[in-house]
Amino acid sequence: GYQGESISQPTSPFHKPPKRNTKKTPTMVDKKDLVKLKEISSKPYREQAIWFLNAFWVDKFEGKKDACEMIWKYMNKFIELDLKKKKKGCELNEFDAHRFLENFGMTLSVKDMREKLREIDIDFNKHVSLTEFLIYKHEADVHKLVNASQGEADMEKINKAQSLLEKAQADCEKSKEAAIKATEAAETAENSRLSAVKAENEAKKVEAELRKVQGEQTAAEDALKAEEKKLATKKENLKKKSKNMSLGVVKRNKAANMLQQLLAKDPLPLQKAKITQAAVVKKCQKATKKAARITGKAVEAREKAEADAKQAKAAKQASEDAVIAAETAIEKATEYLEKVKQEVKGAGKGKLWLMDRELEEAKKYMPKRALARLKKKMAEEKKN
């Protein structure tokens, strides 16, 4: 039972009143039924939903789309709130059960919540299974619920439909994953292409700078050669003049003196040309290395872009193939499910409805174009 504040006993027909209260509940749950109920409540949420739908299909759900949809919503909310076990879970603790009730507008005070949960929690374990909630919500007959047929006579057909559904769900999930991979690959390829373009533009810029520096180097070398030639000519002329006996001593000595000065030290224009040429050579060497490095990066970027583009193309093809596989699986599952729905007359219709709902949910993961194509194809086949 519950700890803490005392609470009034609920009026639910599923609990015996305490000894101090002489008022009897209208209906008692048979012990055998309670054992069966615990078995059903220990099943995963989906199986609990199916069991309930099958048991009360004719009374509560057949032809009532909104009522069926609420079972779908209840089931998925239980799964969502069960953070540890998710789809494999079977019941919620008191806190999460409170959150569940709040989600569907059943907001209660703490005291009322405990009474409500106790009213729902037939086996007093402070946890609420989906089945317990549905019994409370629909004021369901426990005896009828636990002893309801689950479509055993048509189980072979239902199981085949279930297998086709699972195949369709798996293929839709693969299609979704393949589409994500294709999108990511396309984004990567586009980023690589842009990086390659940027790197190539940078390489072109550096190459243009290198050509400019190379032009400066050529001009500096030509200027140096011109100064050296000019100096060599001047030296030769002074040498001849210094040895020309037809000239006076003064002129010869002056020429010899000027020649010695030129031999001892280069003239300023030549010095400047040498300095300029040496500086340009270093500048050109630096520019050449930079151009080689940037060009190398550009080549690598282009190679990466081409490889990524190839991968993106393969991912796109894989995505398209996955979509086709999903379309085929959904088409097969839908066709067979429709066939079984027509053939199954008794129990089992609840499960077929849920399977049909799951199939519709699986279609949401398909690309819009593919889904439109599938709907058009199936509509045409229905006409024929």
Side-chain angles (χ1 to χ4, degrees):
Y2 285 82
Q3 302 293 324
E5 62 183 283
S6 60
I7 59 174
S8 58
Q9 291 298 308
T11 58
S12 168
F14 311 125
H15 298 281
K16 292 181 179 181
K19 291 181 180 180
R20 67 178 181 272
N21 190 343
T22 57
K23 183 179 178 181
K24 294 186 178 179
T25 53
T27 307
M28 301 302 296
V29 179
D30 183 80
K31 287 184 178 180
K32 290 181 180 179
D33 289 347
L34 190 57
V35 171
K36 291 179 182 178
L37 180 61
K38 287 183 178 180
E39 281 182 24
I40 297 169
S41 291
S42 66
K43 293 177 181 292
Y45 298 118
R46 181 178 182 272
E47 291 184 34
Q48 291 185 53
I50 288 171
W51 192 287
F52 198 87
L53 283 167
N54 281 341
F56 299 105
W57 182 254
V58 175
D59 297 342
K60 301 179 183 293
F61 301 108
E62 189 169 24
K64 298 175 182 177
K65 185 178 179 181
D66 290 344
C68 292
E69 188 64 22
M70 286 310 299
I71 297 294
W72 171 263
K73 289 180 179 179
Y74 292 149
M75 178 189 76
N76 282 294
K77 182 54 68 173
F78 262 77
I79 292 170
E80 177 189 329
L81 293 173
D82 195 335
L83 299 179
K84 289 184 178 179
K85 296 184 178 180
K86 289 296 181 183
K87 290 182 179 181
K88 294 181 180 179
C90 62
E91 59 186 7
L92 296 178
N93 60 41
E94 190 172 330
F95 175 74
D96 289 328
H98 185 195
R99 293 172 63 202
F100 172 86
L101 294 173
E102 279 187 328
N103 185 79
F104 290 98
M106 301 177 223
T107 309
L108 312 167
S109 67
V110 174
K111 181 179 178 181
D112 288 341
M113 179 196 74
R114 287 178 178 172
E115 288 183 8
K116 184 75 70 173
L117 293 177
R118 187 167 183 174
E119 184 176 351
I120 298 169
D121 185 17
I122 297 169
D123 57 8
F124 292 94
N125 71 345
K126 286 193 176 182
H127 283 69
V128 182
S129 69
L130 177 58
T131 300
E132 288 172 334
F133 168 74
L134 292 175
I135 289 171
Y136 167 80
K137 181 66 179 174
H138 289 273
E139 298 180 352
D141 184 327
V142 175
H143 181 74
K144 182 175 180 179
L145 171 66
V146 300
N147 292 287
S149 170
Q150 293 296 304
E152 288 80 358
D154 298 297
M155 196 54 67
E156 186 176 343
K157 294 177 183 178
I158 294 174
N159 286 342
K160 183 178 178 181
Q162 178 67 38
S163 295
L164 290 171
L165 167 65
E166 289 173 0
K167 174 73 165 57
Q169 287 175 317
D171 285 352
C172 283
E173 186 62 29
K174 288 178 183 177
S175 173
K176 178 185 174 184
E177 291 173 359
I180 292 172
K181 287 181 180 179
T183 300
E184 291 175 348
E187 289 176 355
T188 299
E190 178 61 13
N191 290 336
S192 294
R193 185 190 70 79
L194 293 174
S195 295
V197 170
K198 184 179 179 181
E200 287 168 345
N201 288 337
E202 183 67 18
K204 288 177 183 178
K205 182 180 177 182
V206 171
E207 286 170 0
E209 291 175 356
L210 176 60
R211 286 193 294 273
K212 181 182 177 183
V213 173
Q214 287 173 335
E216 292 176 4
Q217 183 180 9
T218 300
E221 288 173 349
D222 290 343
L224 177 61
K225 287 177 182 179
E227 288 298 328
E228 287 176 337
K229 185 178 181 181
K230 184 178 177 182
L231 178 61
T233 301
K234 191 172 184 180
K235 284 180 179 179
E236 184 64 26
N237 290 335
L238 288 172
K239 185 177 180 182
K240 288 179 180 179
K241 199 172 183 180
S242 67
K243 292 181 179 182
N244 188 348
M245 300 306 293
S246 63
L247 297 173
V249 175
V250 174
K251 289 184 177 180
R252 290 201 309 271
N253 287 340
K254 184 179 179 181
N257 185 43
M258 290 178 66
L259 177 61
Q260 288 301 316
Q261 289 179 16
L262 291 176
L263 291 173
K265 186 178 181 181
D266 291 334
L268 287 176
L270 180 58
Q271 290 180 34
K272 185 179 178 181
K274 284 183 176 181
I275 292 171
T276 300
Q277 189 268 345
V280 172
V281 167
K282 288 183 179 180
K283 185 178 179 181
C284 189
Q285 288 173 344
K286 187 176 180 181
T288 300
K289 288 181 180 179
K290 182 180 179 180
R293 185 178 74 255
I294 299 299
T295 301
K297 287 183 177 180
V299 171
E300 289 176 3
R302 176 52 57 190
E303 289 174 350
K304 185 178 184 302
E306 290 173 354
D308 288 343
K310 189 176 180 180
Q311 287 183 356
K313 185 178 180 181
K316 183 181 178 182
Q317 185 60 54
S319 178
E320 290 173 356
D321 292 343
V323 168
I324 292 172
E327 282 184 53
T328 303
I330 285 177
E331 188 176 0
K332 285 182 179 179
T334 303
E335 286 177 356
Y336 189 77
L337 189 57
E338 287 300 319
K339 178 175 177 289
V340 175
K341 281 160 68 177
Q342 296 299 320
E343 293 175 355
V344 173
K345 302 299 179 185
K349 289 215 167 201
K351 182 172 184 177
L352 293 174
W353 180 87
L354 190 67
M355 289 165 63
D356 196 35
R357 184 65 180 78
E358 288 173 329
L359 200 55
E360 287 302 312
E361 194 69 16
K363 290 177 185 177
K364 292 180 181 179
Y365 295 108
M366 293 181 64
K368 291 182 179 179
R369 288 184 181 180
L371 184 56
R373 185 169 63 241
L374 177 62
K375 286 181 177 179
K376 183 179 179 181
K377 183 180 178 182
M378 293 181 72
E380 289 174 353
E381 288 177 352
K382 215 168 188 180
K383 289 179 182 179
N384 300 328

